[in-house]
């Protein structure tokens, strides 16, 4: 079931088939005024459907962070939910204006209490969510920070080291990293240094040993939770069947990103109990040769970005209509309006999306889209 998303609405996608053990829920809440309304509606749906969250992400200005967290705490408690579930809160000014952009939640509901569910587990510096079944294990670690007070590149190395430590704490080697979301407070100032730091770490045996085929899907975008230079969320996945994880290195529109010095895959596909979840990395208007396309033209960049995302999905037989959750990052309001105009004029299918203002990894890039599709 796919719902239309409008301001002040909760968009719900439930993916299930008769006989499947789990319902997959992808909830996107777009608030109209205050975070209390958004979280009240979210908590109501989570409670009513028996959703066990795997990941939750909220976008808003830092000025209202305390207000949002208190609204969440109150709503969860009112509906008998665990108010201590882990959350990633990110600075993200709504592209359409205001202070609070919305909430995204991915979770599952068990058809039988005998089936394994999702539980909170400790990791160094915080709490993660672990889902273990006879066929696979999945660990989502939110809000991983580096050591405070270090130079940016040193904070990045520390952040990855803590991600490795969190994975190992629950029996995952880093090569099981299938998706990372990386936020840099001043991305245009030191993205090159960040890439060098990540490349050097991924070359080490305790990480990926330099195997490009193991690079996780990833987003690298401007963002922060506080004063840190960088933070990340990470998803680790291991399966009994080797074919249950496929990393998408390149598509018909874009070559492998490692060809121009960025250690990530275009996407990653996970097979979970009969369903395929296709994670699309943060994707921008970049050509097959790694060069930025359509400089200065936000509308053309928007079309190119959407076509590139569609190409990633197409490698797994999916399309834009299969997107269950997405985030659009726009350099400014003008870029966002260009995106909206492009979508309307091109007749492209609508899909659940939160749109925020953020710098992309290159100054000339105006929009970036990440997505999660289900087939």
């Amino acid at each position: 079931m796919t719902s239309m998303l409008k301001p002040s609405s909760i968009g719900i996608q439930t993916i299930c088939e008769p006989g499947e053990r789990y319902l997959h829920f992808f909830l996107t809440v777009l608030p109209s005024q205050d975070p209390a309304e958004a979280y009240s509606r979210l908590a109501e749906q989570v409670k009513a459907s028996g959703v066990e969250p795997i990941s939750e992400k909220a976008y808003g200005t830092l000025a209202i962070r305390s207000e949002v967290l208190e609204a969440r705490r109150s709503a969860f408690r009112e509906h008998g939910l665990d108010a201590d579930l882990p959350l990633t809160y990110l600075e993200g000014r709504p592209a359409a204006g205001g202070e609070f952009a919305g909430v995204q939640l991915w979770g599952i509901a068990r058809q039988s209490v005998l089936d394994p569910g999702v539980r909170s587990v400790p990791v160094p510096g915080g709490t993660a969510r672990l889902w273990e079944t006879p066929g696979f294990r999945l660990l989502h670690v939110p809000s991983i920070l580096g050591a405070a007070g270090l130079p940016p590149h040193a904070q990045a190395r520390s952040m990855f080291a803590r991600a490795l430590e969190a994975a190992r704490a629950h029996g995952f080697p880093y090569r099981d990293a299938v998706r990372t979301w990386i936020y840099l407070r001043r991305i245009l100032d030191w993205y090159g240094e960040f890439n060098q730091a990540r490349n050097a770490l991924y070359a080490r045996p305790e990480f990926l040993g330099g195997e490009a085929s193991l690079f996780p899907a990833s987003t690298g975008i401007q963002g922060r939770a506080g004063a840190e230079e960088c933070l990340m969320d990470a998803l680790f996945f291991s399966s009994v069947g080797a074919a249950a994880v496929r990393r998408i290195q390149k598509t018909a529109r874009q070559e492998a990103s490692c060809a121009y010095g960025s250690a990530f895959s275009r996407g990653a596909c996970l097979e979970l109990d009969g369903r395929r979840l296709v994670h699309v990395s943060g994707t921008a208007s970049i050509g097959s040769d790694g060069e930025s396309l359509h400089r200065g033209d936000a509308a053309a960049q928007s079309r190119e970005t959407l076509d590139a995302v569609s190409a990633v999905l197409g490698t797994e037989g999916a399309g834009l209509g299969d997107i269950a959750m997405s985030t659009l990052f726009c350099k400014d309001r003008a870029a966002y309006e260009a995106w909206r105009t492009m979508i309307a004029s091109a007749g492209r299918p609508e899909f659940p999306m939160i749109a925020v203002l953020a710098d992309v990894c290159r100054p000339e890039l105006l929009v970036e889209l990440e997505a999660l599709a289900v087939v």
Side-chain angles (χ1 to χ4, degrees):
M1 176 178 70
T2 304
S3 65
M4 295 295 290
L5 281 179
K6 299 178 181 179
S8 188
S9 70
I10 179 168
I12 305 167
Q13 288 208 349
T14 307
I15 311 297
C16 65
E17 292 289 345
E20 289 187 346
R21 293 185 300 164
Y22 299 96
L23 308 183
H24 286 266
F25 284 80
F26 303 88
L27 282 64
T28 299
V29 184
L30 305 178
S32 61
Q33 296 180 6
D34 64 283
E37 177 191 358
Y39 265 108
S40 178
R41 302 177 79 179
L42 178 71
E44 181 180 2
Q45 181 61 47
V46 169
K47 180 65 174 182
S49 302
V51 177
E52 301 175 27
I54 296 171
S55 69
E56 180 188 348
K57 188 169 295 183
Y59 290 94
T61 65
L62 294 186
I64 65 163
R65 175 185 173 121
S66 296
E67 178 186 348
V68 172
L69 297 183
E70 181 55 38
R72 176 182 186 264
R73 187 178 301 109
S74 297
F76 278 27
R77 287 176 176 169
E78 179 183 350
H79 289 84
L81 303 174
D82 182 1
D84 293 323
L85 287 172
L87 162 78
T88 298
Y89 185 94
L90 289 166
E91 180 181 51
R93 183 175 295 277
E99 298 288 321
F100 185 48
V103 187
Q104 297 167 327
L105 186 146
W106 164 37
I108 57 98
R110 288 178 281 175
Q111 299 282 36
S112 168
V113 295
L114 299 179
D115 288 326
V118 186
R119 69 182 194 274
S120 293
V121 294
V123 292
T127 303
R129 295 288 282 172
L130 179 64
W131 183 19
E132 296 180 293
T133 78
F136 63 83
R137 303 176 70 239
L138 181 151
L139 179 72
H140 183 269
V141 188
S143 299
I144 306 167
L145 299 173
L150 297 178
H153 60 87
Q155 282 195 36
R157 290 195 297 269
S158 174
M159 178 182 70
F160 279 107
R162 289 179 176 180
L164 173 64
E165 189 179 0
R168 285 178 167 176
H170 295 282
F172 291 86
Y174 196 88
R175 64 181 46 236
D176 285 340
V178 292
R179 181 69 164 98
T180 61
W181 296 261
I182 298 168
Y183 306 96
L184 309 180
R185 183 166 66 92
R186 299 179 296 115
I187 189 169
L188 294 178
D189 291 347
W190 66 286
Y191 186 66
E193 289 182 75
F194 166 78
N195 268 326
Q196 292 174 5
R198 178 171 57 179
N199 292 347
L201 288 172
Y202 279 7
R204 292 166 55 171
E206 65 269 32
F207 282 92
L208 302 177
E211 296 183 44
S213 63
L214 295 177
F215 290 166
S218 189
T219 296
I221 198 73
Q222 182 190 28
R224 59 172 177 160
E228 76 287 340
E229 289 290 344
C230 55
L231 78 155
M232 68 185 287
D233 290 358
L235 181 66
F236 299 90
F237 179 79
S238 65
S239 172
V240 173
V245 181
R246 289 181 295 281
R247 292 168 175 84
I248 302 163
Q249 299 295 327
K250 61 182 182 178
T251 71
R253 298 192 73 88
Q254 294 179 319
E255 286 294 328
S257 58
C258 60
Y260 54 85
S262 291
F264 69 91
S265 295
R266 297 293 178 193
C269 180
L270 315 181
E271 293 188 6
L272 299 176
D273 199 44
R275 283 286 163 184
R276 284 179 292 141
L277 273 62
V278 186
H279 286 271
V280 181
S281 296
T283 301
S285 180
I286 295 175
S288 60
D289 58 358
E291 293 298 314
S292 300
L293 301 177
H294 312 297
R295 293 170 183 251
D297 189 336
Q301 286 196 25
S302 295
R303 287 192 297 271
E304 185 68 36
T305 296
L306 200 60
D307 287 343
V309 168
S310 182
V312 177
L313 295 172
T315 64
E316 288 293 331
L320 297 175
D322 296 309
I323 292 176
M325 198 159 61
S326 67
T327 309
L328 176 69
F329 304 96
C330 301
K331 190 176 184 68
D332 51 34
R333 289 289 298 277
Y336 176 60
E337 292 303 327
W339 172 276
R340 292 183 62 195
T341 300
M342 180 276 297
I343 289 291
S345 62
R348 300 300 184 97
E350 292 195 38
F351 43 83
M353 185 181 78
I354 287 179
V356 299
L357 300 181
D359 283 332
V360 187
C361 61
R362 302 176 187 176
E364 69 273 13
L365 293 176
L366 306 175
V367 296
E368 178 169 317
L369 180 69
E370 64 176 28
L372 172 58
V374 185
V375 289

